Amino acid sequence: MATGQLFSRTTQALFYNYKQLPIQRMLDFDFLCGRETPSVAGIINPGGDGFQKLFFGQEEIAIPVHSAIEAACAAHPTADVFINFASFRSAAASSMAALKQPTIRVVAIIAEGVPESDAKQLIAYARANNKVVIGPATVGGIQAGAFKIGDTAGTIDNIIHCKLYRPGSVGFVSKSGGMSNELYNTIARVTDGIYEGIAIGGDVFPGSTLSDHVLRFNNIPQVKMIVVLGELGGRDEYSLVEALKQGKVTKPVVAWVSGTCARLFKSEVQFGHAGAKSGGEMESAQAKNQALREAGAVVPTSYEALEVAIKEAFEKLVEEGKTTPVKEVHPPQIPEDLNTAIKSGKVRAPTHIISTISDDRGEEPCYAGVPMSSIVESGYGVGDVISLLWFKRSLPRYCTQFIEICIMLCADHGPCVSGAHNTIVTARAGKDLVSSLVSGLLTIGPRFGGAIDDAARYFKDAYDRGLTPYEFVESMKKKGIRVPGIGHRIKRGDNRDKRVELLQRFARTHFPSVKYMEYAVQVETYTLSKANNLVLNVDGAIGSLFLDLLAGSGMFTKQEIDEIVEIGYLNGLFVLARSIGLIGHTFDQKRLKQPLYRHPWEDVLYTK
């Protein structure tokens, strides 16, 4: 066991099992104390490497994350404290691994319920190798103005209230972490504050004892008096009694053992800690308090009188000139986290993203204000979801049915079209689903499947301006622009595209108006008089019919219709639909275990 000071303003720790809040509290304490370097050198997260972003004052820093204790110790040889936030199931193994590292001097075990046999092994190894174990079942410890373990002393407000941002003159040791916070506050009220405080933990076999730390405090010049808070159960306090009787402790000791109320119960009572259970008269709080009093410690008559006893002991030291109260300093202001400040109404901050189509902040996601449960319970289909997420309103059923028909009809057009071909080649190259899908999608454009928006745009402009089909087609010809939505590589006037016929039949049956579609059909009649392959294709059919859907539903203004066409909504239908087929082609090639594709040289014209 160490014989002097455990921590300093340069102490650095390795933190096992990442927990954001206790690490950030350590870093905030560092800043409060004016430390130049963060006290957390690295984080150990089994199975993960990288960095974690946290704040050191107002500066955002990246703390390295290591997957193994050995790697972390090698990377940070000056970090000699190991803070273990592992569960009770793995705390012993990870703590032993840390103790075996030559760079680690102190191990703090936060978990409760570590098996007693494991705790005994840790204690034996630590004592044999002159190392310190704090815990198990501890909140940790603190050296005021220098270093703290995890959540020790609680919030920054409590730390400031207890004046722990600068060193005092009192060494404090307790079994209880919760009562430590209470005593830090008490000691700050009636003395110049804590120099070092340790909570050894409430398990039956703590890694270090009350007397271990009292003897350490006795060797630290800055510690002028010692406060001890024990509890019923076990015989740890008697080792302190022996040290006092043998004169090993020369500084004033104020002590109290909690649990005197246990005698009020007819049967034995188990208090909060595993070790807080009296096993006989000697383990009672009354017996321990009496033994400490007889050994020379100042022991009040009750816990309520403890504050007065501490106050009188400190004032006596001041009167005798054995200590001079530490001068008060003003700690810096810890920057408040933005989220906290926003919630408290102290600041306002601009958002970085605007979303009007969905909201996931409530109990369930909403699409355009419609809860997910309502979508399912109302029997909505894919077309209804598209109407909510794309158009921000619930369209009539015939509209959503038309959307679904478009998706079904455009899902695939065989393996020979450019998009499917690209996807097949990519899948056969061993690429993943997303890569294969994107390879096919990237071919969508003015020449393949991307003409729906242009078809709608040109048909709408021509119809709204009152152009005859002749005037429209000839004006496009003069501009050198092919009429989008007209023409097919395979289909002819005497072999129409079945998909176009299905869409037209549905629209004539369900749409209130099909004026744009009829105009497109008139344009087709004129273009067929020029060439038999200049038929209305599926792009032209969807483009013109979508104009009829938008205009005929009465749910969109002229400005909204123009915006929908301009932004690219209609091509979005083809992209969405064709993704289904491209994914199918990817799975098909994977399922068939097709080899790498190489285009046959016979199909290439080699020329100079």
Side-chain angles (χ1 to χ4, degrees):
M1 177 71 187
T3 57
Q5 193 162 301
L6 291 182
F7 314 119
S8 71
R9 287 175 62 85
T10 59
T11 296
Q12 285 194 299
L14 295 175
F15 196 103
Y16 188 89
N17 196 19
Y18 176 70
K19 297 284 188 290
Q20 192 269 340
L21 184 57
I23 296 177
Q24 188 58 65
R25 283 180 169 176
M26 289 178 67
L27 298 174
D28 287 344
F29 179 74
D30 296 342
F31 181 76
L32 198 68
C33 299
R35 281 182 58 127
E36 295 182 0
T37 56
S39 60
V40 180
I43 298 165
I44 304 164
N45 237 18
D49 290 293
F51 293 88
Q52 282 288 351
K53 295 195 301 178
L54 294 125
F55 283 100
F56 184 59
Q58 200 161 8
E59 178 187 0
E60 194 170 25
I61 61 174
I63 297 180
V65 178
H66 306 275
S67 60
I69 294 172
E70 295 78 9
C73 291
H76 310 284
T78 59
D80 59 2
V81 178
F82 184 84
I83 302 173
N84 195 344
F85 265 75
S87 71
F88 71 91
R89 286 178 286 272
S90 60
S94 49
S95 295
M96 182 61 79
L99 284 171
K100 290 181 178 179
Q101 300 304 308
T103 55
I104 298 299
R105 193 172 46 88
V106 179
V107 172
I109 307 171
I110 309 303
E112 295 184 46
V114 173
E116 293 178 3
S117 59
D118 291 338
K120 289 178 180 179
Q121 290 180 20
L122 292 170
I123 295 167
Y125 186 89
R127 291 192 180 277
N129 290 274
N130 197 32
K131 299 193 176 188
V132 179
V133 174
I134 302 173
T138 181
V139 72
I142 186 169
Q143 183 173 322
F147 177 84
K148 89 179 186 88
I149 294 171
D151 290 316
T152 302
T155 65
I156 287 297
D157 288 341
N158 189 64
I159 287 170
I160 293 173
H161 191 70
C162 296
K163 302 178 182 179
L164 294 168
Y165 49 82
R166 51 58 169 177
S169 303
V170 180
F172 171 73
V173 61
S174 166
K175 287 187 176 181
S176 169
M179 288 303 297
S180 293
N181 280 352
E182 183 67 29
L183 265 293
Y184 293 152
N185 189 9
T186 299
I187 291 169
R189 284 200 303 268
V190 296
T191 72
D192 62 358
I194 290 289
Y195 183 80
E196 184 183 321
I198 298 290
I200 66 170
D203 278 2
V204 177
F205 296 101
S208 51
T209 65
L210 297 173
S211 58
D212 287 336
H213 294 287
V214 170
L215 292 171
R216 272 199 317 104
F217 294 158
N218 196 65
N219 294 329
I220 300 174
Q222 297 92 330
V223 174
K224 305 301 181 181
M225 64 174 286
I226 301 166
V227 176
V228 179
L229 183 65
E231 64 185 23
L232 84 164
R235 301 198 176 190
D236 186 12
E237 289 82 359
Y238 288 105
S239 61
L240 176 56
V241 169
E242 290 304 312
L244 287 166
K245 286 181 178 180
Q246 295 170 13
K248 294 180 179 179
V249 183
T250 58
K251 297 176 181 179
V253 175
V254 179
W256 176 254
V257 179
S258 297
T260 53
C261 65
R263 286 186 174 176
L264 298 176
F265 297 93
K266 294 180 180 180
S267 59
E268 189 176 55
V269 177
Q270 170 73 61
F271 287 85
H273 294 150
K277 180 178 180 181
S278 177
E281 178 56 31
M282 280 193 69
E283 295 186 10
S284 69
Q286 285 83 350
K288 292 182 180 182
N289 279 326
Q290 183 60 32
L292 286 165
R293 187 179 294 114
E294 292 173 356
V298 176
V299 180
T301 56
S302 66
Y303 175 80
E304 288 74 15
L306 181 60
E307 180 173 339
V308 174
I310 296 170
K311 181 175 185 290
E312 291 175 350
F314 182 75
E315 289 176 346
K316 183 178 180 182
L317 288 172
V318 174
E319 289 172 5
E320 294 174 350
K322 294 180 180 180
T323 188
T324 301
V326 175
K327 291 183 179 179
E328 191 52 70
V329 297
H330 295 288
Q333 180 72 36
I334 298 290
E336 193 169 14
D337 288 341
L338 181 61
N339 289 340
T340 304
I342 290 173
K343 287 180 180 178
S344 63
K346 293 181 181 179
V347 299
R348 57 188 181 189
T351 56
H352 297 91
I353 293 176
I354 301 174
S355 176
T356 64
I357 64 170
S358 61
D359 191 337
D360 59 344
R361 293 172 298 176
E363 293 184 3
E364 58 178 321
C366 292
Y367 293 167
V370 180
M372 186 68 68
S373 57
S374 296
I375 292 172
V376 174
E377 291 165 1
S378 300
Y380 282 11
V382 172
D384 299 286
V385 172
I386 291 173
S387 77
L388 292 172
L389 290 178
W390 290 17
F391 302 104
K392 295 170 52 179
R393 64 203 77 188
S394 290
L395 296 175
R397 183 58 188 148
Y398 75 85
C399 295
T400 60
Q401 279 183 300
F402 176 75
I403 292 172
E404 290 170 1
I405 291 172
C406 290
I407 292 172
M408 290 187 287
L409 295 180
C410 295
D412 191 52
H413 202 192
C416 298
V417 296
S418 58
H421 179 80
N422 265 24
T423 289
I424 289 169
V425 171
T426 306
R428 289 177 61 166
K431 301 292 283 185
D432 60 277
L433 171 63
V434 174
S435 301
S436 302
L437 171 62
V438 170
S439 175
L441 290 176
L442 287 174
T443 64
I444 295 176
R447 297 182 181 179
F448 169 59
I452 301 177
D453 283 315
D454 284 341
R457 190 177 296 115
Y458 283 113
F459 282 144
K460 183 176 187 301
D461 177 70
Y463 179 86
D464 291 349
R465 287 196 295 136
L467 298 180
T468 65
Y470 167 82
E471 292 170 331
F472 170 51
V473 173
E474 294 304 320
S475 66
M476 294 288 283
K477 183 178 180 181
K478 288 180 182 179
K479 296 175 185 177
I481 303 173
R482 293 182 177 181
V483 178
I486 295 291
H488 203 283
R489 290 179 61 87
I490 299 174
K491 298 300 179 181
R492 299 289 186 271
D494 54 355
N495 179 27
R496 301 297 180 90
D497 191 330
K498 189 69 174 178
R499 297 175 299 174
V500 174
E501 293 178 348
L502 289 169
L503 289 169
Q504 291 174 334
R505 189 182 309 139
F506 180 87
R508 287 191 174 103
T509 304
H510 297 93
F511 281 25
S513 168
V514 289
K515 60 182 182 181
Y516 289 107
M517 186 200 74
E518 296 295 0
Y519 182 75
V521 170
Q522 294 171 21
V523 171
E524 178 193 45
T525 301
Y526 177 73
T527 56
L528 282 173
S529 68
K530 293 180 171 292
N532 199 34
N533 69 326
L534 296 180
V535 294
L536 182 67
N537 59 37
V538 72
D539 290 349
I542 292 175
S544 59
L545 285 171
F546 228 101
L547 291 174
D548 287 323
L549 181 152
L550 295 171
S553 67
M555 301 185 71
F556 299 90
T557 65
K558 181 181 182 302
Q559 182 181 356
E560 286 176 325
I561 295 172
D562 291 339
E563 185 179 56
I564 287 169
V565 173
E566 184 64 31
I567 288 176
Y569 275 56
L570 309 188
N571 277 351
L573 269 181
F574 185 83
V575 171
L576 174 62
R578 192 51 56 94
S579 293
I580 299 171
L582 298 180
I583 291 171
H585 284 296
T586 301
F587 291 155
D588 190 40
Q589 297 303 306
K590 300 283 187 183
R591 183 172 54 248
L592 295 172
K593 297 180 174 59
Q594 290 296 286
L596 178 68
Y597 175 84
R598 189 181 192 278
H599 200 73
W601 62 265
E602 297 92 344
D603 195 37
V604 177
L605 173 61
Y606 294 94
T607 184
K608 295 181 180 178

